[in-house]
Amino acid sequence: MAGTHRSRRARSAPPSRGRRILLWTAGGLAVLVLAATGALGWLYYQLNGNIQAAEIEDRLGDDRPEDLSPDAMTILVAGSDTREGTDGSYGQAEGMRSDTMMVVHVAANREWATVVSIPRDSWVSIPACDLGDGTESEPHQGKINESFALGGMNGDVGGAAACTIRTLEQNTGLRIDNFVSLDFLGFQDMVDALGGVDVCLDEPIQDDKAHVDLPAGCQTLDGEDALGFVRVRYSVGDGSDIGRIERQQDFMRSLAEKAQSKLTDPTALYDFLDAVTSSLTTDPELAGLRPLYDLAEDLQGIPEENLTFLTVPNYPRQLDVPEDTANVVWEYPSAGLLFDALARDERMTEDDLAAAAEESPALRPSEVQVLVLNGTGVAGQAAEVAERLGDAGFTVVGTGNAEGEVARTVVGHPEGLAEQAELLASRLLPAAATEPDATGQPGVLTLTVGADFAGVRGG
């Protein structure tokens, strides 16, 4: 495959995106903190003071998912792309962007952890978010990284993180406890502080949009070239965001290894630590070397076989909405099973997901016909829900009013449509109950919208 990144060191089989992320999240943080508290202990307070804290609690709203595992940690990790200080070299971006987004779940017993990569092109429901000027955005559908841009329109990383957390919580049902954001230029400074990072390319990469022109073969990338390498997308491999996620994970592994090799070089190590800490913004709970060290220690204490690294199950949205060739939607029921398991602090591996998919083959929303009935007593609710379901790819055959008001949303299904009903129910917020219904139209589900209805995942 063109432009594939390989490590110089021979490796055994693919272990592992697990290993790659572990080295970055755990190893990288451990290097940072251990160095600052050990060999460079006298710089501890200076480096500690570099880390910015952003208060987000009052921006998350009152409609958050229930915290089903309060002793576990679920953390949003995002790369913040502001383009400030680049003189337009990498293009212009209004406000902030986040091309890298992960959810890290550390189990309450600290015996396992799961890292879930979120494709930036995920088409999701974006709730109303605080824009930082006394106004709120309108709820709508869009790419998930738009939530970061909305909240960060005024250059506020805390606002960007808060809107992204609201979006993730609404679409996954997970309660997000903390966030860590690393800014665009900070990444470049980190690479330069280490004297560059080694990569090997099977084929040359030339991409004007990512500002990168690299020959084939093994080479050392400086900060500017590394920034272009991790951003490149369309001219490498299959041009997908999924492929870019894998290249970013590979590069971060190499970066962490290079940082570990600099433990005996005080100047390089200090420059690296200064670049990392100056680039970090976190929630107040994680804002400091000590809490980051505690997190790294938790991650390092987990056996590698208990670390799971997944990308949200997804497929091209074009299969549901033919004119959309740019985005992906999450695959249900697999995505729902994953998020529900993490919410309950239950481990789910790639094999578990594959087995679940085999047991319940994926259905496409476009294969499901739905009649929407308003049971809320709020005028126009059925039409609004029908529009959201249409955006999510479902085929809405009609709307109407239920016989009376109901508290809970229910999906009724004729005989033989139980799987279709489960798919629809899993895409509603909160997940709806399903029940047999012999009175409905043949081949059509009947969705009775209750007072508990909060939205449609991906619609």
Side-chain angles (χ1 to χ4, degrees), residues 66-82:
E66 182 182 357
D67 191 352
L68 301 178
S69 52
D71 293 327
M73 290 184 70
T74 303
I75 307 162
L76 164 66
V77 179
S80 170
D81 178 355
T82 66

mmCIF file with all atom_site columns, all heavy atoms in Angstrom, residues 66-82:
data_model
loop_
_atom_site.group_PDB
_atom_site.id
_atom_site.type_symbol
_atom_site.label_atom_id
_atom_site.label_alt_id
_atom_site.label_comp_id
_atom_site.label_asym_id
_atom_site.label_entity_id
_atom_site.label_seq_id
_atom_site.pdbx_PDB_ins_code
_atom_site.Cartn_x
_atom_site.Cartn_y
_atom_site.Cartn_z
_atom_site.occupancy
_atom_site.B_iso_or_equiv
_atom_site.pdbx_formal_charge
_atom_site.auth_seq_id
_atom_site.auth_comp_id
_atom_site.auth_asym_id
_atom_site.auth_atom_id
_atom_site.pdbx_PDB_model_num
ATOM 1   N N   . GLU A 1 66 ? -26.429 8.913  32.724 1.00 0.00 ? 66 GLU A N   1
ATOM 2   C CA  . GLU A 1 66 ? -26.163 8.490  34.098 1.00 0.00 ? 66 GLU A CA  1
ATOM 3   C C   . GLU A 1 66 ? -24.766 7.888  34.186 1.00 0.00 ? 66 GLU A C   1
ATOM 4   O O   . GLU A 1 66 ? -24.326 7.182  33.278 1.00 0.00 ? 66 GLU A O   1
ATOM 5   C CB  . GLU A 1 66 ? -27.198 7.459  34.528 1.00 0.00 ? 66 GLU A CB  1
ATOM 6   C CG  . GLU A 1 66 ? -27.039 6.973  35.961 1.00 0.00 ? 66 GLU A CG  1
ATOM 7   C CD  . GLU A 1 66 ? -28.053 5.911  36.325 1.00 0.00 ? 66 GLU A CD  1
ATOM 8   O OE1 . GLU A 1 66 ? -28.921 5.600  35.473 1.00 0.00 ? 66 GLU A OE1 1
ATOM 9   O OE2 . GLU A 1 66 ? -27.968 5.373  37.446 1.00 0.00 ? 66 GLU A OE2 1
ATOM 10  N N   . ASP A 1 67 ? -24.059 8.184  35.261 1.00 0.00 ? 67 ASP A N   1
ATOM 11  C CA  . ASP A 1 67 ? -22.720 7.610  35.473 1.00 0.00 ? 67 ASP A CA  1
ATOM 12  C C   . ASP A 1 67 ? -22.888 6.235  36.104 1.00 0.00 ? 67 ASP A C   1
ATOM 13  O O   . ASP A 1 67 ? -23.092 6.108  37.310 1.00 0.00 ? 67 ASP A O   1
ATOM 14  C CB  . ASP A 1 67 ? -21.892 8.526  36.383 1.00 0.00 ? 67 ASP A CB  1
ATOM 15  C CG  . ASP A 1 67 ? -20.424 8.120  36.432 1.00 0.00 ? 67 ASP A CG  1
ATOM 16  O OD1 . ASP A 1 67 ? -20.085 7.051  35.887 1.00 0.00 ? 67 ASP A OD1 1
ATOM 17  O OD2 . ASP A 1 67 ? -19.624 8.872  37.009 1.00 0.00 ? 67 ASP A OD2 1
ATOM 18  N N   . LEU A 1 68 ? -22.805 5.192  35.279 1.00 0.00 ? 68 LEU A N   1
ATOM 19  C CA  . LEU A 1 68 ? -23.034 3.829  35.756 1.00 0.00 ? 68 LEU A CA  1
ATOM 20  C C   . LEU A 1 68 ? -21.795 3.197  36.377 1.00 0.00 ? 68 LEU A C   1
ATOM 21  O O   . LEU A 1 68 ? -21.888 2.132  37.000 1.00 0.00 ? 68 LEU A O   1
ATOM 22  C CB  . LEU A 1 68 ? -23.518 2.955  34.584 1.00 0.00 ? 68 LEU A CB  1
ATOM 23  C CG  . LEU A 1 68 ? -24.802 3.412  33.894 1.00 0.00 ? 68 LEU A CG  1
ATOM 24  C CD1 . LEU A 1 68 ? -25.130 2.486  32.726 1.00 0.00 ? 68 LEU A CD1 1
ATOM 25  C CD2 . LEU A 1 68 ? -25.958 3.456  34.890 1.00 0.00 ? 68 LEU A CD2 1
ATOM 26  N N   . SER A 1 69 ? -20.630 3.838  36.200 1.00 0.00 ? 69 SER A N   1
ATOM 27  C CA  . SER A 1 69 ? -19.388 3.276  36.771 1.00 0.00 ? 69 SER A CA  1
ATOM 28  C C   . SER A 1 69 ? -18.520 4.410  37.294 1.00 0.00 ? 69 SER A C   1
ATOM 29  O O   . SER A 1 69 ? -17.515 4.780  36.691 1.00 0.00 ? 69 SER A O   1
ATOM 30  C CB  . SER A 1 69 ? -18.635 2.468  35.706 1.00 0.00 ? 69 SER A CB  1
ATOM 31  O OG  . SER A 1 69 ? -18.449 3.241  34.534 1.00 0.00 ? 69 SER A OG  1
ATOM 32  N N   . PRO A 1 70 ? -18.899 4.988  38.429 1.00 0.00 ? 70 PRO A N   1
ATOM 33  C CA  . PRO A 1 70 ? -18.222 6.194  38.929 1.00 0.00 ? 70 PRO A CA  1
ATOM 34  C C   . PRO A 1 70 ? -16.749 6.009  39.263 1.00 0.00 ? 70 PRO A C   1
ATOM 35  O O   . PRO A 1 70 ? -16.001 6.991  39.300 1.00 0.00 ? 70 PRO A O   1
ATOM 36  C CB  . PRO A 1 70 ? -19.040 6.570  40.180 1.00 0.00 ? 70 PRO A CB  1
ATOM 37  C CG  . PRO A 1 70 ? -19.806 5.346  40.538 1.00 0.00 ? 70 PRO A CG  1
ATOM 38  C CD  . PRO A 1 70 ? -20.056 4.612  39.261 1.00 0.00 ? 70 PRO A CD  1
ATOM 39  N N   . ASP A 1 71 ? -16.297 4.774  39.506 1.00 0.00 ? 71 ASP A N   1
ATOM 40  C CA  . ASP A 1 71 ? -14.888 4.565  39.832 1.00 0.00 ? 71 ASP A CA  1
ATOM 41  C C   . ASP A 1 71 ? -14.025 4.340  38.596 1.00 0.00 ? 71 ASP A C   1
ATOM 42  O O   . ASP A 1 71 ? -12.794 4.287  38.687 1.00 0.00 ? 71 ASP A O   1
ATOM 43  C CB  . ASP A 1 71 ? -14.736 3.379  40.792 1.00 0.00 ? 71 ASP A CB  1
ATOM 44  C CG  . ASP A 1 71 ? -15.334 3.674  42.162 1.00 0.00 ? 71 ASP A CG  1
ATOM 45  O OD1 . ASP A 1 71 ? -15.276 4.840  42.589 1.00 0.00 ? 71 ASP A OD1 1
ATOM 46  O OD2 . ASP A 1 71 ? -15.861 2.741  42.797 1.00 0.00 ? 71 ASP A OD2 1
ATOM 47  N N   . ALA A 1 72 ? -14.658 4.158  37.434 1.00 0.00 ? 72 ALA A N   1
ATOM 48  C CA  . ALA A 1 72 ? -13.909 4.055  36.185 1.00 0.00 ? 72 ALA A CA  1
ATOM 49  C C   . ALA A 1 72 ? -13.562 5.466  35.706 1.00 0.00 ? 72 ALA A C   1
ATOM 50  O O   . ALA A 1 72 ? -14.081 6.458  36.210 1.00 0.00 ? 72 ALA A O   1
ATOM 51  C CB  . ALA A 1 72 ? -14.735 3.321  35.131 1.00 0.00 ? 72 ALA A CB  1
ATOM 52  N N   . MET A 1 73 ? -12.648 5.558  34.723 1.00 0.00 ? 73 MET A N   1
ATOM 53  C CA  . MET A 1 73 ? -12.314 6.848  34.111 1.00 0.00 ? 73 MET A CA  1
ATOM 54  C C   . MET A 1 73 ? -12.586 6.754  32.616 1.00 0.00 ? 73 MET A C   1
ATOM 55  O O   . MET A 1 73 ? -12.117 5.821  31.958 1.00 0.00 ? 73 MET A O   1
ATOM 56  C CB  . MET A 1 73 ? -10.834 7.195  34.320 1.00 0.00 ? 73 MET A CB  1
ATOM 57  C CG  . MET A 1 73 ? -10.445 7.542  35.730 1.00 0.00 ? 73 MET A CG  1
ATOM 58  S SD  . MET A 1 73 ? -8.700  8.054  35.812 1.00 0.00 ? 73 MET A SD  1
ATOM 59  C CE  . MET A 1 73 ? -8.764  9.644  34.977 1.00 0.00 ? 73 MET A CE  1
ATOM 60  N N   . THR A 1 74 ? -13.337 7.702  32.082 1.00 0.00 ? 74 THR A N   1
ATOM 61  C CA  . THR A 1 74 ? -13.572 7.775  30.654 1.00 0.00 ? 74 THR A CA  1
ATOM 62  C C   . THR A 1 74 ? -13.124 9.153  30.188 1.00 0.00 ? 74 THR A C   1
ATOM 63  O O   . THR A 1 74 ? -13.652 10.174 30.647 1.00 0.00 ? 74 THR A O   1
ATOM 64  C CB  . THR A 1 74 ? -15.047 7.530  30.316 1.00 0.00 ? 74 THR A CB  1
ATOM 65  O OG1 . THR A 1 74 ? -15.446 6.253  30.844 1.00 0.00 ? 74 THR A OG1 1
ATOM 66  C CG2 . THR A 1 74 ? -15.259 7.511  28.810 1.00 0.00 ? 74 THR A CG2 1
ATOM 67  N N   . ILE A 1 75 ? -12.130 9.174  29.302 1.00 0.00 ? 75 ILE A N   1
ATOM 68  C CA  . ILE A 1 75 ? -11.418 10.413 28.975 1.00 0.00 ? 75 ILE A CA  1
ATOM 69  C C   . ILE A 1 75 ? -11.486 10.693 27.476 1.00 0.00 ? 75 ILE A C   1
ATOM 70  O O   . ILE A 1 75 ? -11.203 9.806  26.659 1.00 0.00 ? 75 ILE A O   1
ATOM 71  C CB  . ILE A 1 75 ? -9.932  10.299 29.390 1.00 0.00 ? 75 ILE A CB  1
ATOM 72  C CG1 . ILE A 1 75 ? -9.802  9.872  30.855 1.00 0.00 ? 75 ILE A CG1 1
ATOM 73  C CG2 . ILE A 1 75 ? -9.193  11.604 29.147 1.00 0.00 ? 75 ILE A CG2 1
ATOM 74  C CD1 . ILE A 1 75 ? -8.423  9.334  31.214 1.00 0.00 ? 75 ILE A CD1 1
ATOM 75  N N   . LEU A 1 76 ? -11.832 11.909 27.111 1.00 0.00 ? 76 LEU A N   1
ATOM 76  C CA  . LEU A 1 76 ? -11.724 12.359 25.728 1.00 0.00 ? 76 LEU A CA  1
ATOM 77  C C   . LEU A 1 76 ? -10.293 12.825 25.489 1.00 0.00 ? 76 LEU A C   1
ATOM 78  O O   . LEU A 1 76 ? -9.766  13.648 26.237 1.00 0.00 ? 76 LEU A O   1
ATOM 79  C CB  . LEU A 1 76 ? -12.690 13.519 25.469 1.00 0.00 ? 76 LEU A CB  1
ATOM 80  C CG  . LEU A 1 76 ? -12.433 14.336 24.198 1.00 0.00 ? 76 LEU A CG  1
ATOM 81  C CD1 . LEU A 1 76 ? -12.676 13.493 22.953 1.00 0.00 ? 76 LEU A CD1 1
ATOM 82  C CD2 . LEU A 1 76 ? -13.273 15.604 24.189 1.00 0.00 ? 76 LEU A CD2 1
ATOM 83  N N   . VAL A 1 77 ? -9.652  12.289 24.456 1.00 0.00 ? 77 VAL A N   1
ATOM 84  C CA  . VAL A 1 77 ? -8.326  12.748 24.039 1.00 0.00 ? 77 VAL A CA  1
ATOM 85  C C   . VAL A 1 77 ? -8.472  13.327 22.635 1.00 0.00 ? 77 VAL A C   1
ATOM 86  O O   . VAL A 1 77 ? -8.931  12.631 21.720 1.00 0.00 ? 77 VAL A O   1
ATOM 87  C CB  . VAL A 1 77 ? -7.297  11.598 24.039 1.00 0.00 ? 77 VAL A CB  1
ATOM 88  C CG1 . VAL A 1 77 ? -5.933  12.111 23.570 1.00 0.00 ? 77 VAL A CG1 1
ATOM 89  C CG2 . VAL A 1 77 ? -7.184  10.978 25.427 1.00 0.00 ? 77 VAL A CG2 1
ATOM 90  N N   . ALA A 1 78 ? -8.110  14.593 22.461 1.00 0.00 ? 78 ALA A N   1
ATOM 91  C CA  . ALA A 1 78 ? -8.318  15.257 21.169 1.00 0.00 ? 78 ALA A CA  1
ATOM 92  C C   . ALA A 1 78 ? -7.092  16.060 20.777 1.00 0.00 ? 78 ALA A C   1
ATOM 93  O O   . ALA A 1 78 ? -6.413  16.653 21.624 1.00 0.00 ? 78 ALA A O   1
ATOM 94  C CB  . ALA A 1 78 ? -9.535  16.185 21.239 1.00 0.00 ? 78 ALA A CB  1
ATOM 95  N N   . GLY A 1 79 ? -6.795  16.069 19.486 1.00 0.00 ? 79 GLY A N   1
ATOM 96  C CA  . GLY A 1 79 ? -5.780  16.953 18.947 1.00 0.00 ? 79 GLY A CA  1
ATOM 97  C C   . GLY A 1 79 ? -6.448  18.234 18.515 1.00 0.00 ? 79 GLY A C   1
ATOM 98  O O   . GLY A 1 79 ? -7.455  18.208 17.809 1.00 0.00 ? 79 GLY A O   1
ATOM 99  N N   . SER A 1 80 ? -5.919  19.373 18.927 1.00 0.00 ? 80 SER A N   1
ATOM 100 C CA  . SER A 1 80 ? -6.521  20.669 18.618 1.00 0.00 ? 80 SER A CA  1
ATOM 101 C C   . SER A 1 80 ? -5.751  21.325 17.491 1.00 0.00 ? 80 SER A C   1
ATOM 102 O O   . SER A 1 80 ? -4.570  21.637 17.625 1.00 0.00 ? 80 SER A O   1
ATOM 103 C CB  . SER A 1 80 ? -6.500  21.567 19.858 1.00 0.00 ? 80 SER A CB  1
ATOM 104 O OG  . SER A 1 80 ? -6.861  22.887 19.521 1.00 0.00 ? 80 SER A OG  1
ATOM 105 N N   . ASP A 1 81 ? -6.424  21.537 16.356 1.00 0.00 ? 81 ASP A N   1
ATOM 106 C CA  . ASP A 1 81 ? -5.814  22.114 15.166 1.00 0.00 ? 81 ASP A CA  1
ATOM 107 C C   . ASP A 1 81 ? -6.348  23.529 14.989 1.00 0.00 ? 81 ASP A C   1
ATOM 108 O O   . ASP A 1 81 ? -7.416  23.735 14.422 1.00 0.00 ? 81 ASP A O   1
ATOM 109 C CB  . ASP A 1 81 ? -6.177  21.230 13.964 1.00 0.00 ? 81 ASP A CB  1
ATOM 110 C CG  . ASP A 1 81 ? -5.622  21.761 12.658 1.00 0.00 ? 81 ASP A CG  1
ATOM 111 O OD1 . ASP A 1 81 ? -5.039  22.850 12.680 1.00 0.00 ? 81 ASP A OD1 1
ATOM 112 O OD2 . ASP A 1 81 ? -5.775  21.073 11.630 1.00 0.00 ? 81 ASP A OD2 1
ATOM 113 N N   . THR A 1 82 ? -5.590  24.535 15.489 1.00 0.00 ? 82 THR A N   1
ATOM 114 C CA  . THR A 1 82 ? -6.056  25.917 15.390 1.00 0.00 ? 82 THR A CA  1
ATOM 115 C C   . THR A 1 82 ? -5.482  26.638 14.187 1.00 0.00 ? 82 THR A C   1
ATOM 116 O O   . THR A 1 82 ? -5.997  27.677 13.781 1.00 0.00 ? 82 THR A O   1
ATOM 117 C CB  . THR A 1 82 ? -5.665  26.720 16.643 1.00 0.00 ? 82 THR A CB  1
ATOM 118 O OG1 . THR A 1 82 ? -4.240  26.844 16.686 1.00 0.00 ? 82 THR A OG1 1
ATOM 119 C CG2 . THR A 1 82 ? -6.153  26.044 17.902 1.00 0.00 ? 82 THR A CG2 1
#
